[in-house]
Each structure stands twice: as C-alpha cells, then as structure tokens.
Amino acid sequence: MSIPSLNDIQKAHRRIVSLIHQTPVLTSSSFNAIVGGQVFFKCENLQKTGSFKIRGASNAILSLSDNEREKGVTTHSSGNHAQALAYAAQSLGIKATIVMPDDAPSVKKKAVAGYKAEIRYCSPTPEAREAMCEEVQRKTGAIFIPSYNDNRIITGQGTAALELLKLHPDLDIILTPIGGGGLLSGSVIAAKGINSNIQVIGTEPEAANDAFLSFKKGELILVNKPNTICDGLKTSLGDLTFAVISSYVTDIVTVDENSILQAMRYIWERMKIVIEPSSAVPVAALLSGKVEAHNKKIGIIISGGNVDLDHLPWHQ
C-alpha cells in the first residue's frame, strides 16, 4: 500500500490553488485564556462549498485524464463531499452524478442541486449508497471519486495543514476531527513532513468512536449506526487512512455529545463564525481537557460550516 508524501501534498496544492480559497487563520484571546495556550483556527468553514472537502475533490478531478473527465464523475455522500465534488465538477465543466441518502441535511441537498449536479436519492444505508453508485457507474461510465480512502483525496485534504504550517511553522500540536480519516491522514503527512516533532491528534465523538477503537487495538473496527450530531463523522476509516493514521498519528481522543454542542455554541458566540458540529469536536477536546494545551501552540482545522439553520442542535 502506497502512502503519500509531503511532496505529493505540495504538488496537490499547486494543482488546486486556483480552485480553492486560502482560508484565514483566526485566534481568540478568550479561548486562549480558557485553555492556557495559543490556539490557531484554520477556518475551512470559510472555504468554497463551506468545508475542506473541496481540496480533495478538486485534486481528484484534476488528476483524471481528459478521457476520464469526459465520462463524468460520481460519488455517494451525505453532504460535504457531495457539495465539493459537484462544485469542482461544475467549475471544470464536467458532469457529476451524486448519490445521496434521502435523510441527508436539506441544506446540503440544496447546495448539491445548486451546483447543477444530478442527484440520485437512496435509502440511508452504506449498502444502498454503494449499490446505487455502482449502478450509475455501469450506466454512464462515470469515474467514482471516493470521499476519503484515496491518495488523491488525502493529499488534497493535507493542503489545509500545509497552509496552516506556512503561517505558523512552530506549532506543537495539530488537531482535526476524524470521520473517514482523509483530513487527519493528509494533515499528519504534511505536518510530520515539515516537522517530525509536531504532535497530530485526531478527535472523535464518543458516539462514533470507530477510529479511537481501531487506533487503540491496532485493527480496523467498524461502528454500526453511530448516533451523533456530527453527521460528517459517521463514516468509518478505510484501509488506507487507517494505515496512515496508525503509522503517524500521535493519539485519538473522544468527546461526548454535550461537550461538542457547547464547543460549537462557544465558537458561534465568541468568535462570531458558523461552524458545524463536526468542526466543534477538536474544540471540545481542548475545552474539556482531553488534550493538554497549557503553554502550547495548537492548530485546529475547522473542517466546515454547513449547518441546517432550521434545525440548530441546541434547539432540538
């Protein structure tokens, strides 16, 4: 199994730079005072399509041959990857067919439709999603672009950490949320390639803790039907992301649903930016003391800001 390098991530960044935002890095004096360290928030919630996913999707499409692009692309996704692939395909004049579970957040369904992708709805099970996506491939010849377990995706996602470390090369720790593991894998490859002493820690909901269990046991463990407000973190690791994470990540910690909700609300109220529940997981890890921040310089990848405003979690 081939694991990407820092050089691969640097190449990916040059490839996608015209299709993405160089997102800002924000700080909060009140947050720093609470945790006792300096925290730098890489705001991918302000990225095109509202999440870091545009990085991997753009890199994957731009890595295709002309003949492959003519066939179009397809994927199955509950939200952020769907939006990212639809937007990247539209930007490059490529047809995209997106398979989405019928219970996906309405804000994400509307966004995918707004990017002119064809949407195929299916039952909200992994089997149904995969079956319908395979049907699309058979009928159209479209190229499947996975959401995380792919070197093109991993190297694209790693460009966020690359940008963060260009601004703050002296970080002690980088935190990311973890679902399928593409963001964490890309981040740790970039970080360790730049400074082998940086600690890279994955953060995960207790209610969807497959990565935590897999990391601790040393083998892939799947969690069936995770019940968490973090809809973007319900996906289990793949064999490639698990290999990267097992080899290079410092640790994985988990946080409960209430701490995620409180962290999300804190960032909305104090930093005046919109983040989705998945993005609040690393914030919760600091606020709850799961990661020691005292006298440390810490980078957090704020992964996205796609929230259904009609169903805010603190009103449920």
Side-chain angles (χ1 to χ4, degrees):
M1 185 180 298
S2 174
I3 292 178
S5 66
L6 171 62
N7 185 55
D8 294 321
I9 293 174
Q10 292 168 330
K11 287 180 179 178
H13 193 260
R14 291 192 291 271
R15 189 178 294 125
I16 69 174
V17 68
S18 64
L19 288 181
I20 64 170
H21 289 318
Q22 305 286 305
T23 52
V25 176
L26 303 182
T27 61
S28 165
S29 57
S30 63
F31 191 88
N32 289 345
I34 290 172
V35 303
Q38 291 182 276
V39 183
F40 302 91
F41 299 89
K42 175 64 170 168
C43 292
E44 289 295 288
N45 56 320
L46 303 178
Q47 184 57 263
K48 292 181 179 180
T49 74
S51 87
F52 72 95
K53 291 282 189 174
I54 189 63
R55 296 174 180 272
S58 297
N59 190 50
I61 290 181
L62 289 169
S63 298
L64 298 177
S65 67
D66 291 341
N67 182 55
E68 288 173 322
R69 292 189 202 182
E70 288 178 3
K71 296 177 181 179
V73 293
T74 187
T75 197
H76 54 82
S77 167
S78 62
N80 284 344
H81 178 62
Q83 293 178 73
L85 191 67
Y87 176 86
Q90 182 189 46
S91 299
L92 295 167
I94 297 169
K95 177 178 173 56
T97 304
I98 310 296
V99 174
M100 299 187 76
D102 51 24
D103 66 347
S106 61
V107 66
K108 297 182 180 181
K109 293 177 182 177
K110 291 175 183 177
V112 173
Y115 298 134
K116 309 303 181 185
E118 179 181 348
I119 303 176
R120 303 279 185 91
Y121 291 112
C122 66
S123 300
T125 67
E127 295 79 13
R129 288 162 55 145
E130 291 170 8
M132 185 166 286
C133 203
E134 289 171 1
E135 180 182 344
V136 170
Q137 290 175 267
R138 285 195 305 271
K139 290 184 176 180
T140 68
I143 305 301
F144 177 62
I145 305 295
S147 59
Y148 58 93
N149 201 47
D150 182 281
N151 278 341
R152 299 164 300 179
I153 297 295
I154 289 171
T155 52
Q157 317 305 31
T159 60
L162 191 72
E163 291 175 7
L164 173 60
L165 287 164
K166 185 174 182 179
L167 290 176
H168 300 283
D170 58 344
L171 293 178
D172 299 300
I173 301 171
I174 290 180
L175 302 178
T176 82
I178 179 170
L183 178 61
L184 180 58
S185 296
S187 297
V188 74
I189 291 168
K192 292 292 187 179
I194 292 169
N195 180 357
S196 61
N197 293 321
I198 293 178
Q199 295 183 26
V200 180
I201 299 173
T203 60
E204 189 174 41
E206 288 179 0
N209 65 344
D210 65 286
F212 172 82
L213 296 174
S214 300
F215 184 79
K216 297 301 182 182
K217 193 167 183 180
E219 63 182 66
L220 266 177
I221 296 174
L222 307 182
V223 174
N224 188 35
K225 297 180 180 178
N227 183 23
T228 174
I229 59 172
C230 303
D231 64 279
L233 304 184
K234 293 181 178 181
T235 307
S236 295
L237 297 177
D239 58 348
L240 178 56
T241 54
F242 176 63
V244 174
I245 289 164
S246 298
S247 298
Y248 300 113
V249 165
T250 306
D251 197 8
I252 295 176
V253 301
T254 62
V255 290
D256 63 43
E257 295 294 292
N258 184 62
S259 66
I260 295 168
L261 181 59
Q262 294 305 313
M264 177 180 172
R265 186 162 185 157
Y266 180 93
I267 296 298
W268 280 50
E269 291 179 342
R270 300 306 296 268
M271 293 187 68
K272 316 304 180 187
I273 58 174
V274 173
I275 69 170
E276 61 188 79
S278 299
S279 296
V281 175
V283 180
L286 285 181
L287 291 174
S288 64
K290 292 294 186 75
V291 175
E292 175 56 52
H294 187 66
N295 290 333
K296 302 286 188 182
K297 290 185 176 180
I298 300 173
I300 291 182
I301 309 291
I302 296 293
S303 55
N306 292 316
V307 181
D308 188 342
L309 297 180
D310 291 327
H311 297 91
L312 293 175
W314 43 77
H315 288 160
Q316 295 178 9

